[in-house]
Amino acid sequence: MRLTSIILVCVLAMGAGTAASVRAGDGARSSHGAARVSDSLALSVTRLAADSLVARARPMPRGGRAWRSAIQAPHYQTDRDVGAASIGEGLLAAYAVTRDARYLRAAVAAGDFLLGVAEPVAGGLRWPDWADPDGRRSTTHFTSFDDGAAGISDFLWRLSRVAHQPRFRTAALRGIRWLVAQARGPSCPDVACSWRWTDDPDWRVAYYGVGMGQAGVVMTLDTFADRTGNQTYRAYARAGAARLRGVTEGGTKPLPRGSESSTLETGFLSGSAGAAYMFLDRYVRDGDPADLAAARALLAWVNDRALPHPSGGLRWPVADDDGSSASGYELGVAGVAWVNVRAARMTGDPSYLDVARRAGTWLRHVRLTDGAWRELGETESPLHVGLDSGAAGIGWVLEDLARAGLDASANREAARAALAGLNAAVARDGLGAFWYENRTGGRPRLRAEPSWHWGSAGIAAFAAGLAGWSGRGPGGQIAP
């Protein structure tokens, strides 16, 4: 269940080729001849993080292994935010650059845990939000990429390809079957479809964004259409995008967070930047001018809200009702920069590169001397380590800016500083290395968080990216 980033920001505010081929992304590859950072340091941090995950995995009664979430303690989550699917993705990234069989075995164990707790429903599979070693499990089953079937199915498919074990592919397709069955609407799938966050009949909220909502479902269905050639998935993806074009009036109005919230966010997770990326992704596949127009209009709304900074950089308010400027990927400036780089690549419009370059300028300006970033930039706030709001995600984006030729030397140095800072922040216990998820007021908090968004799995992926792995964005979605 993905509520943590929203809760953190709210608390702080109150206190202060073909589509299929370009999305393969299952191995380690680099299109750049020279090493971008010291390979030894990048590989060392990758191993530190992956070794920690191997050591902290717990055997589960229905098979496989799982990890206790520090953020959502005391549970053993299933999802792509803080759960086994997210940790498995980090282990696959580590395996891609090290070929250490222990990491692949641990990823397979994560997959077997997910198969063991999956619930068959009408020919498909759904997953409880969490399933604990004592047999207790959540009765909530999410649809979204970060929280439920969309993201879990995506991980299982990729695991099947890397491990060459067909049972994971079968489970992935059954997860997508359940996801398709959750589509709603009187004209679905011929015209427009929508998805609620969960199948609980008493919980009727629908979110619209990439992480928690419908935009992420659309991207997942498109990805599975690429993988399988199944045009039913494509039809539902098109219908989901049509629904979001309706919500935003073709992109001329910003994306609200969801059916029960009129908040207008700028960022990647639940905001118009993420929605613009989804529409660009759709345009690459279908060439529908309506998708391109929606993407451009939404990103224009985001970029029009940029706030110039004396450093020459740009920052953004988190939302129309929150004027704070977050530094991180999911809610903040790093995510907006990443989408603008992708928009330039997909459209050929160089104006997006200038926005991304100036976002990088602000991120470098607010970087602390130890390679960390405050969650809220220049405002006193927690210092996170992970991909969601912290050094790993921001470093990842700055490296991507460097690869795009934007202030390459300065951005690459800042990405290296983030890696070095994470290496220096390692703590140790009887199981080996770990990180605290954040430092708040100088005190470390949330010990040994394992996940992609907040902990060791995401740090492994960031470091593996610097060592040559590619194919995913910081949010976990496939990124050409």
Side-chain angles (χ1 to χ4, degrees), residues 268-279:
F268 186 84
L269 172 70
S270 297
S272 288
Y277 180 63
M278 180 276 294
F279 281 119

Side-chain angles (χ1 to χ4, degrees), residues 356-423:
R357 181 187 61 79
R358 295 182 66 190
T361 298
W362 184 80
L363 288 170
R364 296 195 311 274
H365 176 79
V366 299
R367 191 190 89 202
L368 303 179
T369 56
D370 60 355
W373 281 263
R374 297 184 184 93
E375 182 177 352
L376 298 182
E378 295 174 294
T379 302
E380 192 62 38
S381 50
L383 282 66
H384 300 275
V385 297
L387 292 176
D388 187 290
S389 301
I394 297 168
W396 187 321
V397 170
L398 290 170
E399 177 66 16
D400 278 359
L401 297 184
R403 293 177 192 178
L406 303 177
D407 295 337
S409 177
N411 283 324
R412 184 157 290 129
E413 185 278 328
R416 291 179 181 182
L419 181 69
L422 290 167
N423 187 54

Side-chain angles (χ1 to χ4, degrees), residues 133-145:
D134 61 5
R136 293 186 307 126
R137 66 170 57 201
S138 171
T139 58
T140 300
H141 314 91
F142 292 104
T143 57
S144 64
F145 187 88

Side-chain angles (χ1 to χ4, degrees), residues 263-289:
T263 295
L264 306 174
E265 296 186 21
T266 55
F268 186 84
L269 172 70
S270 297
S272 288
Y277 180 63
M278 180 276 294
F279 281 119
L280 287 169
D281 195 58
R282 289 246 69 253
Y283 178 69
V284 168
R285 289 177 164 94
D286 276 358
D288 186 342

Side-chain angles (χ1 to χ4, degrees), residues 238-310:
R238 289 172 179 146
R243 167 64 178 152
L244 292 176
R245 287 199 303 271
V247 168
T248 62
E249 297 187 12
T252 61
K253 291 187 176 180
L255 185 78
R257 184 181 294 162
S259 61
E260 298 181 3
S261 172
S262 60
T263 295
L264 306 174
E265 296 186 21
T266 55
F268 186 84
L269 172 70
S270 297
S272 288
Y277 180 63
M278 180 276 294
F279 281 119
L280 287 169
D281 195 58
R282 289 246 69 253
Y283 178 69
V284 168
R285 289 177 164 94
D286 276 358
D288 186 342
D291 287 329
L292 179 60
R296 282 189 172 277
L298 287 168
L299 199 49
W301 180 85
V302 172
N303 290 343
D304 284 349
R305 272 140 194 83
L307 303 172
H309 186 269

Side-chain angles (χ1 to χ4, degrees), residues 29-36 345 399-400 402-405 412 468:
R29 67 182 189 273
S30 174
S31 58
H32 306 267
R36 291 178 294 278
R345 180 179 300 174
E399 177 66 16
D400 278 359
R403 293 177 192 178
R412 184 157 290 129

